[in-house]
């Protein structure tokens, strides 16, 4: 049976589009399959190392340079506007690597999405962990501390931390009175929550058994993070890493 000309022609067009991306001008010259694949990859985890994204772009466009990378990001931003989301860059102070995060423009929607993955008690515990890490004195020249998991597993949310979140990206929690009636997470449950938060980019395991704030927390919970840091650290974080 002779080959189907339609499929062959479509494949040739896709190849030509990818190879011709070097000459692409406006962001809409980037092939649709490229941005679709990247959006899916970032949405799957909520975040991605920028170097990993660049590798994906080069592979999809069959290129050896990153000269089309910013065009691809620009097109992704345009393509996800209807979702009320942004792709934002953040440099993690602990390793000085850049990350791309999918950030909700609507703080309430961000809280709902996180609430679908974590229980009320886990969210209250997470907020207390963020406050503990942010207020813990960093070692050496570090901007933000990395805290031993043994310390974090003993963190107990104060009743005030159970109040509904008021700033962008902060996870909503129940009022203090309702929270006080709930049983606390066990030590095992706290350890499991720490691992889950790290796997989703909310925390970052700086070294074995030590956690610091992850890229998603720095962007989605920016107001809370800045409020816990010293004035100098907050200024450096905003100016040099965001």
């Amino acid at each position: 049976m002779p080959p189907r000309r339609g499929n062959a022609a479509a494949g040739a067009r896709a190849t030509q589009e990818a190879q011709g991306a070097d000459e692409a001008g406006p962001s809409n010259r980037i092939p649709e399959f490229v941005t679709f694949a990247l959006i899916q990859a970032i949405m799957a985890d909520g975040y991605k190392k920028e170097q990993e994204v660049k590798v994906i772009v080069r592979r999809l466009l069959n290129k050896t340079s990153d000269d089309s990378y910013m065009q691809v990001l620009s097109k992704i931003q345009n393509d996800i506007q209807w979702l009320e989301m942004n792709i934002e860059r953040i440099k993690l102070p602990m390793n000085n690597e850049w990350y791309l995060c999918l950030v909700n423009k609507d703080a309430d929607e961000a809280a709902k999405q996180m609430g679908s993955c974590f229980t009320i008690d886990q969210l209250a515990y997470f907020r207390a962990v963020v406050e503990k890490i942010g207020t813990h004195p960093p070692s050496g020249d570090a901007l933000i501390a990395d805290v031993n998991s043994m310390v974090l597993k003993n963190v107990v949310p104060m009743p005030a931390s159970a109040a509904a979140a008021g700033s962008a990206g902060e996870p909503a929690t129940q009022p203090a009175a309702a929270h006080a009636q709930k049983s606390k997470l066990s030590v095992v449950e706290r350890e499991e929550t720490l691992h889950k938060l790290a796997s989703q980019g909310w925390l970052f395991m700086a070294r074995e058994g030590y956690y610091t704030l992850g890229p998603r927390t720095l962007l989605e919970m920016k107001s809370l993070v800045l409020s816990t840091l010293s004035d100098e650290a907050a200024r450096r974080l905003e100016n040099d890493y965001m």
Side-chain angles (χ1 to χ4, degrees), residues 140-192:
D141 296 329
L143 185 66
I144 301 175
D146 58 332
V147 181
N148 192 293
S149 61
M150 295 300 295
V151 174
L152 296 179
K153 282 187 288 187
N154 287 309
V155 168
V156 177
M158 297 296 290
S161 297
S167 51
E170 295 177 19
T173 55
Q174 288 185 334
H179 180 269
Q181 298 172 2
K182 282 184 169 291
S183 60
K184 301 292 191 296
L185 295 174
S186 69
V187 173
V188 172
E189 289 171 327
R190 292 176 202 170
E191 184 174 20
E192 291 173 348

Side-chain angles (χ1 to χ4, degrees), residues 194-211:
L194 290 173
H195 284 294
K196 186 175 180 180
L197 289 164
S199 70
Q200 295 187 14
W202 299 104
L203 295 178
F204 178 78
M205 187 177 285
R207 47 194 168 123
E208 188 63 33
Y210 285 77
Y211 292 91

Side-chain angles (χ1 to χ4, degrees), residues 29-224:
R29 294 281 299 277
I30 299 295
E32 293 293 334
F33 75 88
V34 174
T35 51
F36 178 79
L38 285 172
I39 290 171
Q40 291 296 311
I42 297 172
M43 288 186 71
D45 298 321
Y47 76 110
K48 213 82 174 170
K49 277 188 179 181
E50 187 169 56
Q51 283 302 319
E52 293 178 1
V53 176
K54 288 182 176 180
V55 169
I56 297 173
V57 171
R58 291 197 299 268
R59 185 173 70 244
L60 291 173
L61 293 177
N62 193 26
K63 299 179 62 174
T64 58
S65 70
D66 297 323
D67 56 341
S68 295
Y69 177 67
M70 295 310 296
Q71 286 180 266
V72 172
L73 284 192
S74 177
K75 188 173 190 309
I76 290 177
Q77 291 285 29
N78 290 332
D79 289 350
I80 65 174
Q81 287 300 307
W82 66 278
L83 293 172
E84 292 297 311
M85 299 181 110
N86 280 330
I87 297 288
E88 296 188 16
R89 298 172 74 239
I90 182 75
K91 184 162 72 170
L92 196 64
M94 189 55 63
N95 62 7
N96 282 321
E97 290 194 49
W98 286 95
Y99 290 76
L100 297 183
C101 297
L102 196 65
V103 178
N104 282 278
K105 296 180 183 178
D106 186 342
D108 289 338
E109 187 60 29
K112 288 178 186 176
Q113 289 196 6
M114 194 173 185
S116 67
C117 298
F118 297 91
T119 67
I120 293 294
D121 283 335
Q122 286 177 318
L123 291 175
Y125 171 65
F126 172 44
R127 182 185 176 101
V129 165
V130 172
E131 293 171 345
K132 180 66 175 179
I133 294 174
T135 56
H136 195 85
S139 58
D141 296 329
L143 185 66
I144 301 175
D146 58 332
V147 181
N148 192 293
S149 61
M150 295 300 295
V151 174
L152 296 179
K153 282 187 288 187
N154 287 309
V155 168
V156 177
M158 297 296 290
S161 297
S167 51
E170 295 177 19
T173 55
Q174 288 185 334
H179 180 269
Q181 298 172 2
K182 282 184 169 291
S183 60
K184 301 292 191 296
L185 295 174
S186 69
V187 173
V188 172
E189 289 171 327
R190 292 176 202 170
E191 184 174 20
E192 291 173 348
T193 301
L194 290 173
H195 284 294
K196 186 175 180 180
L197 289 164
S199 70
Q200 295 187 14
W202 299 104
L203 295 178
F204 178 78
M205 187 177 285
R207 47 194 168 123
E208 188 63 33
Y210 285 77
Y211 292 91
T212 188
L213 304 181
R216 298 182 74 182
T217 296
L218 295 178
L219 286 174
E220 293 264 17
M221 301 176 66
K222 178 179 176 180
S223 297
L224 175 61

